[in-house]
Amino acid sequence: MSSLERREASASPRFSIDFKALGPFMALVVLFVLGTAINDAFLSGGNLSNIFTRAAFIGIIAVGATFVITAGGIDLSVGSMAAFISGAMIVVMNTLVETLGPGLETVLIGIVLSIILGIGAGAVNGLVSTKGKIEAFIVTLGTMGIYRSLVTYMADGGTLSLDFEVRGTYRPVYYGELLGIPVPVLVFLAVAVAGYVLLNMTPFGRKCFAIGSNEQVARYSAIHVDRVKTMTYVIQGLCVSIATIIYVPRLGSASSSTGVLWELEAIAAVIIGGTMLKGGYGRIWGTVVGAIMLTTIGNILNLTDAISNYLNGAVQGLIIIVAVFLQRGDWRRKKSK
Amino acid sequence: MTDAAVHAVNPGIGGEVRLSGRKICKSFGPAQVLFDVSIDLHAGEVHALLGENGAGKSTLVKILSGYHEPTEGELVLDGKSISFADSEAGEGHGVILIHQELNLAEQLTVEENIFLGREIKRGWFLDKTAMRAEAKKLLEQLQCDVDPRTRIRDLSVSDRQMVEIAKALSKKADILILDEPTAVLTGREVEILFDQIRRLREQGVAILYISHKLDEIKAIADRVTVLRDGRHIVTEPVVDLSKDDMARLMVGRDIKQMFPHRVSDTSAPIVLSVRDLSVPGHVRDASFDLHKGEVLGFAGIVGAGRTALMEAIIGLRERSSGTIERDGKPVRIASLQDAKNSGIAYLTKDRKGSGLLLNMDMRPNLTLLALEKFGRVIVDRKAEEAALEKAIEAFDIRAADSKAKVGDFSGGNQQKLLLAKVMETDPDIVIIDEPTRGIDIGTKSQIYHFIGGLTDRGKSVILLSSEMPEMLGLSDRIAVMAAGRITGILEGNDRNEHEIMRHATGISGQEGVSVHE
Ligand SMILES: Nc1ncnc2c1ncn2[C@@H]1O[C@H](COP(=O)(O)OP(=O)(O)OP(=O)(O)O)[C@@H](O)[C@H]1O
Ligand SMILES: [Mg+2]
């Protein structure tokens, strides 16, 4: 059986660099070089910490989105969900000030509430789409509208502001530092590491890949497809709640315009990072890099006068399209099936 | 390997040479899968291409029709060297390939699929009436009783294959290549297909036909080319080769014993007992027992409810009634997980649709069903790698590159991997649905002996197969289903083709129910 020869031939290690996996990293490096060239201030500690802190919001949400998308789903409701959760947190904390005072308890209860709401909202998205057999796109389009209008209702069309004293207690969650690193960045890192382990090293993560590649095969492999899919939405909800917990002390308010278009930024970060929109393949580190890239683009545009800041969205859009085109890799092959 | 130099092509049995491949080589990355292969296709002739799984048949025909580019060598069409930019260019020159895998758009209807990309138009609009009429005519030609307005996803695999054939016929091929068209067809459908092939041959079409079924080759082919490990072995008129010759040329050795020698013992304890199981619309009151160490065959025509019955047993389908006992104790199986926990495993007949993750490599595929064995919290990659190495060895999986996507594997190697995946759970009872669909004769024999090995070790097997020799060669007893009912369980001397057909068509045994698939 001389297929042996063939096996041996391919057994020799390949030295080629995996451009597909490294692509987002290289693009980020290019952006950084560009940023430095445009303005020396780009590489200053203050600016970098600014970039990473801002990237943390979208990044944390995008880590959750990586699970949903890898398992073949989509969640359009994350931006509204974040607005709704922050609104609910503010209302509850403001009410608690009267009984518990503006201390740590109030903030902790607010945080716990956020987590419960996040998990609950995720579970709603997951259960309605799996048990109700409705496309996730439709379900989350619906909940997107529901969460958005709930926050508008809570704010009575205006803005909900966090009690000033509570804000003082809560402040370190966004502005604090540990070992010189801003807290949001540390949280982002922790979420990313946890996400990486969960997606790449556990049976759960493997099941997400399987479901995203072919649900039927997953079902025939004794995987509880509905359960795993619902879990990805719960993880997404949890990530949104964590991002919200960091976000509230920064703005100190919530209104109907909070978190608008975050879902698109999160999905963009995931896709730039190399996760496939149609499911079956996901990469947490890619997502992290994607989120940082999106923030960096905005930052660079802030530092230069060459392109108007108002064109931020256009540049981001362009980068997303180019990134996906490069990753698909077909452009290198002459012919494909 | 001096065989590579041999390509003594016999003088044409049919007409002039239409399309030839000359000294074709093909590599995918570091792996070379074709070595200097030459082949001539004559007008008005059926040329059969034979070879083991992974020999490179599909790759060769994909090159001939423009889907792949040869790494070296050239194509010659009507005496002129030609290179097809893509498959459309190939089709433009009249070279039509019916792929081994079905290539239909599941959400579209039969007629939409047949005319996909070549819609009949009237002005700016689609001429639906014309397309429907034409589709109807094509299907009638194939005696295929399918409404052109049905969506593909609602069709059985054999009907899908017939639609694929109708689509190819509608393209008016000069050179028609069929890559294992009959793997999913029933006997009657094969006959219909052969009639069409004969008709086209009469019209002077050059036909290249791939199949692992040597009977078919004998029946339809004029000339045979054998490939082995990517090399051309011989090209001979079919009359000069016996089936044994062909098998030997393909495998490179004699296949002495196709089936394992097994001793059946019907007094062995009952490990699985199914009573009065019904699935609405598919199965009615099915009851049977399975003994330890037994192979119980399930025969019946397509749509008789065999697969539905098995899927109901393992919790993949709702059942309206019925009880299941394992080793004499009642068990509740509501999901595949439950079935797995009671030591029952199921090998699906649809290896691409529900068996393997085609976009992934072997490792995650192998361990998917038995994932908890490799760690409940963290998946142990080392253990997975070790399991993969063992499986490659035990099942003789030949992959050019162990990191390649499973979708690029040849059919036989996919099937072996699927078998390995199912066996990872170490089941006591294995339900095997069509284990050798699209599989070469050498690998078939390997799989048969593997099944024999299972029963020797005290495992029990339920075998669903539409291949009669396989059914008769492996089974101790044969349950026959017709229209959703078990019409008889044949033992001893009753295990013969005649009895099976009598029960399968409902001439003998209980009366069936009407079943809508
Ligand atoms: N796109 C691809 N990329 C990498 N390897 C491939 C690709 N297509 C085929 N191969 C490899 O080429 C070899 C020949 O495959 P091919 O599909 O031509 O075999 P075959 O003779 O048609 O087998 P079967 O009878 O199972 O269909 C196999 O080892 C297969 O893994
Ligand atoms: Mg093939």
Side-chain angles (χ1 to χ4, degrees), chain A residues 6, chain B residues 28 33 51-60 62 68 100 179-180 212 398-400 404 408-413 438 440:
Chain A
R6 263 183 273 156
Chain B
F28 293 105
V33 299
E52 282 185 294
N53 295 124
K57 304 179 297 296
S58 297
T59 308
L60 178 62
K62 281 181 188 163
H68 285 324
Q100 183 167 9
D179 193 351
E180 286 191 51
H212 290 293
R398 302 188 210 160
D408 288 337
F409 282 21
S410 74
N413 284 308
D440 73 59

Side-chain angles (χ1 to χ4, degrees), chain A residues 225-244:
Chain A
V225 173
D226 287 355
R227 209 181 287 171
V228 174
K229 275 174 123 177
T230 304
M231 267 313 289
T232 63
Y233 289 95
V234 169
I235 291 171
Q236 172 74 87
L238 183 64
C239 288
V240 171
S241 91
I242 294 173
T244 310

Side-chain angles (χ1 to χ4, degrees), chain A residues 1-333:
Chain A
M1 314 276 109
S2 54
S3 60
L4 267 180
E5 302 157 26
R6 263 183 273 156
R7 213 183 285 161
E8 272 158 27
S10 63
S12 66
R14 272 180 290 172
F15 292 106
S16 67
I17 305 167
D18 188 355
F19 282 103
K20 233 176 143 186
L22 289 179
F25 287 92
M26 298 194 310
L28 188 63
V29 170
V30 170
L31 269 184
F32 269 64
V33 171
L34 197 73
T36 321
I38 285 173
N39 194 327
D40 289 340
F42 180 80
L43 274 188
S44 70
N47 191 50
L48 285 185
S49 122
N50 185 11
I51 290 181
F52 288 120
T53 312
R54 277 166 180 269
F57 288 134
I58 292 304
I60 292 171
I61 295 176
V63 167
T66 311
F67 282 88
V68 172
I69 293 175
T70 301
I74 189 92
D75 190 344
L76 298 176
S77 70
V78 292
S80 311
M81 198 192 288
F84 166 62
I85 295 176
S86 32
M89 276 176 83
I90 290 172
V91 169
V92 167
M93 286 192 290
N94 283 353
T95 320
L96 283 175
V97 173
E98 286 153 31
T99 47
L100 290 177
L104 206 58
E105 288 109 324
T106 303
V107 172
L108 277 181
I109 292 178
I111 288 177
V112 170
L113 174 80
S114 162
I115 290 175
I116 293 173
L117 286 179
I119 290 177
V124 167
N125 282 340
L127 288 173
V128 172
S129 68
T130 54
K131 296 295 170 209
K133 303 207 188 313
I134 309 173
E135 297 275 352
F137 189 95
I138 308 291
V139 172
T140 58
L141 194 64
T143 52
M144 171 174 155
I146 294 172
Y147 300 143
R148 175 71 57 204
S149 80
L150 281 180
V151 72
T152 316
Y153 174 76
M154 279 192 295
D156 216 0
T159 302
L160 289 163
S161 295
L162 183 58
D163 181 275
F164 197 73
E165 283 175 81
V166 179
R167 217 189 270 196
T169 323
Y170 200 162
R171 205 181 133 81
V173 172
Y174 184 81
Y175 293 98
E177 287 189 354
L178 214 81
L179 306 166
I181 306 172
V183 173
V185 178
L186 288 175
V187 175
F188 183 20
L189 200 67
V191 169
V193 169
Y196 177 82
V197 171
L198 192 57
L199 187 62
N200 293 288
M201 297 165 78
T202 66
F204 173 76
R206 187 67 66 76
K207 290 173 186 173
C208 291
F209 277 86
I211 292 171
S213 330
N214 188 334
E215 239 183 89
Q216 184 80 346
V217 173
R219 196 161 280 128
Y220 276 78
S221 302
I223 292 170
H224 293 291
V225 173
D226 287 355
R227 209 181 287 171
V228 174
K229 275 174 123 177
T230 304
M231 267 313 289
T232 63
Y233 289 95
V234 169
I235 291 171
Q236 172 74 87
L238 183 64
C239 288
V240 171
S241 91
I242 294 173
T244 310
I245 291 168
I246 310 174
Y247 182 76
V248 167
R250 177 176 153 216
L251 270 200
S253 66
S255 72
S256 61
S257 62
T258 303
V260 168
L261 291 187
W262 280 13
E263 57 280 339
L264 291 189
E265 282 202 42
I267 293 169
V270 172
I271 301 307
I272 291 175
T275 296
M276 284 204 285
L277 190 55
K278 69 175 194 307
Y281 185 72
R283 221 162 27 198
I284 295 286
W285 288 122
T287 298
V288 170
V289 171
I292 296 173
M293 262 172 78
L294 287 179
T295 334
T296 309
I297 296 166
N299 184 270
I300 291 178
L301 293 184
N302 266 333
L303 294 178
T304 167
D305 298 328
I307 305 177
S308 160
N309 219 347
Y310 296 130
L311 286 175
N312 189 355
V315 177
Q316 284 192 354
L318 205 66
I319 300 242
I320 293 167
I321 295 171
V322 170
V324 172
F325 178 69
L326 293 182
Q327 273 160 17
R328 224 183 31 204
D330 291 12
W331 53 279
R332 259 177 296 179
R333 242 177 292 151

Side-chain angles (χ1 to χ4, degrees), chain B residues 20-76:
Chain B
S20 349
R22 301 237 171 102
K23 296 212 165 253
I24 303 278
C25 296
K26 178 71 187 174
S27 303
F28 293 105
Q32 185 168 2
V33 299
L34 287 178
F35 302 81
D36 284 326
V37 175
S38 298
I39 188 166
D40 290 334
L41 307 183
H42 300 252
E45 182 180 297
V46 178
H47 194 138
L49 188 57
L50 279 180
E52 282 185 294
N53 295 124
K57 304 179 297 296
S58 297
T59 308
L60 178 62
V61 297
K62 281 181 188 163
I63 289 173
L64 290 175
S65 54
Y67 282 85
H68 285 324
E69 223 175 351
T71 317
E72 271 171 59
E74 61 166 353
L75 300 186
V76 178

Side-chain angles (χ1 to χ4, degrees), chain B residues 229-430:
Chain B
D229 292 331
R231 292 178 169 84
H232 178 273
I233 303 297
V234 284
T235 298
E236 298 270 4
V238 75
V239 288
D240 294 350
L241 293 173
S242 70
K243 281 195 281 176
D244 283 340
D245 292 336
M246 293 190 234
R248 198 183 52 249
L249 287 166
M250 268 165 59
V251 184
R253 65 187 149 85
D254 273 317
I255 297 173
K256 290 198 192 65
Q257 205 194 357
M258 193 67 189
F259 292 99
H261 179 70
R262 305 187 44 254
V263 263
S264 59
D265 172 16
T266 40
S267 64
I270 292 172
V271 289
L272 178 75
S273 166
V274 173
R275 286 291 170 271
D276 299 323
L277 192 148
S278 296
V279 180
H282 294 282
V283 181
R284 184 120 134 221
D285 299 331
S287 302
F288 67 90
D289 291 328
L290 177 69
H291 297 268
K292 190 175 163 71
E294 177 184 45
V295 177
L296 174 63
F298 267 81
I301 56 173
V302 176
R306 294 175 296 163
T307 300
L309 170 59
M310 295 309 149
E311 289 188 345
I313 292 174
I314 55 167
L316 278 176
R317 242 181 222 267
E318 295 277 335
R319 47 178 185 258
S320 54
S321 68
T323 55
I324 300 171
E325 286 182 6
R326 271 286 278 127
D327 296 327
K329 285 183 283 293
V331 283
R332 211 186 71 89
I333 299 177
S335 70
L336 192 52
Q337 189 71 37
D338 294 342
K340 197 171 92 181
N341 292 340
S342 14
I344 307 176
Y346 174 64
L347 191 132
T348 167
K349 64 178 164 190
D350 183 7
R351 62 178 167 247
K352 284 177 196 276
S354 43
L356 296 173
L357 300 170
L358 300 178
N359 61 337
M360 300 204 180
D361 61 40
M362 278 196 275
R363 182 176 48 85
N365 269 294
L366 177 72
T367 57
L368 196 59
L369 185 56
L371 208 49
E372 65 276 356
K373 205 172 92 180
F374 297 90
R376 291 203 168 264
V377 183
I378 299 285
V379 180
D380 182 349
R381 283 220 179 189
K382 288 242 167 59
E384 281 188 291
E385 298 285 357
L388 177 59
E389 215 158 284
K390 254 171 76 182
I392 289 178
E393 186 73 37
F395 294 87
D396 189 26
I397 302 170
R398 302 188 210 160
D401 176 359
S402 70
K403 287 277 177 291
K405 285 181 185 167
V406 165
D408 288 337
F409 282 21
S410 74
N413 284 308
Q414 286 180 354
Q415 187 68 24
K416 290 187 200 166
L417 178 63
L418 184 56
L419 198 54
K421 168 185 171 180
V422 168
M423 295 315 296
E424 262 321 301
T425 60
D426 197 19
D428 291 323
I429 298 171
V430 195

